[in-house]
Amino acid sequence: MVSAGLKAQEIIIRAVSADDIPGISSIYNHYIENTAVTFETRTVPQGEMTARIARITGAGYPYYTALCGGEVAGYCNLHEFNSKQAFCRTAEISIYLHTDMQGLGIGSALMGRLIGGLDPEAFHTVIAGITLPNAASVAIHEKFGFKQVGYMKETGRKFDRWHDVGYWQLLLG
């Protein structure tokens, strides 16, 4: 278990590695089981998470992990927004933090690394789909320049209720 008392200088942001998969799986599965932040309803086994990460990184998308005290505290990546060819310079962003590590600047460190390293020749638009309400996710995306561009009511059903989704967009070039 990671400690909430860690200081910002102890945060290490680096490209994802195979060693991160158990921590990433644990973080993501927590959100699947306990929140509507993701609309997945079945937990993701580590083997499937390995395959997903390989598909994302193999397609040339950035994927970063935040480590605190040597443990995975969060992760952030870009992935395909739409498979149609004209969307090739548009990507969707995902960011997840260990629940004990929220509010410590880890999300900002991850987003800063990911967004700051993007080549506008490779990526023109980054899209964030956010289950609403989610003030923390909205705040971090807007902190990095994302603007709300859409709102869809009752888009996903989880935990026996309908959830709305907002869409935020960041234009890079």
Side-chain angles (χ1 to χ4, degrees):
M1 177 59 65
V2 288
S3 169
L6 292 169
K7 295 183 169 71
Q9 64 264 24
E10 297 172 309
I11 299 168
I12 297 168
I13 307 294
R14 62 162 171 72
V16 69
S17 79
D19 294 337
D20 302 332
I21 292 168
I24 289 170
S25 295
S26 176
I27 290 168
Y28 190 59
N29 285 332
H30 168 83
Y31 285 96
I32 291 171
E33 293 174 326
N34 299 289
T35 77
V37 168
T38 174
F39 285 163
E40 289 203 64
T41 58
R42 289 186 300 272
T43 58
V44 178
Q46 287 184 26
E48 172 61 21
M49 186 61 73
T50 301
R52 289 181 183 192
I53 292 169
R55 279 192 302 274
I56 290 168
T57 58
Y61 294 105
Y63 201 124
Y64 293 104
T65 306
L67 300 175
C68 288
E71 296 187 48
V72 176
Y75 63 95
C76 185
N77 65 72
L78 290 186
H79 51 276
E80 182 178 64
F81 171 71
N82 189 303
S83 63
K84 293 179 178 71
Q85 296 86 0
F87 289 106
C88 67
R89 292 182 57 208
T90 299
E92 186 171 359
I93 191 168
S94 292
I95 182 168
Y96 289 90
L97 299 178
H98 189 288
T99 56
D100 292 342
M101 302 304 289
Q102 296 174 357
L104 300 175
I106 295 167
S108 291
L110 278 165
M111 290 277 282
R113 176 74 179 267
L114 185 106
I115 300 296
L118 293 179
D119 177 1
E121 294 299 316
F123 298 101
H124 178 71
T125 304
V126 179
I127 304 293
I130 302 173
T131 305
L132 299 172
N134 188 336
S137 188
V138 169
I140 193 165
H141 286 87
E142 290 182 350
K143 175 180 178 178
F144 284 90
F146 285 77
K147 305 290 184 204
Q148 187 172 10
V149 294
Y151 185 92
M152 297 173 23
K153 290 194 66 63
E154 299 181 0
T155 306
R157 187 162 178 83
K158 190 170 179 183
F159 303 128
D160 296 321
R161 66 180 277 253
W162 287 104
H163 300 275
D164 300 346
V165 175
Y167 286 92
W168 275 254
Q169 179 182 33
L170 177 66
L171 294 174
L172 298 171

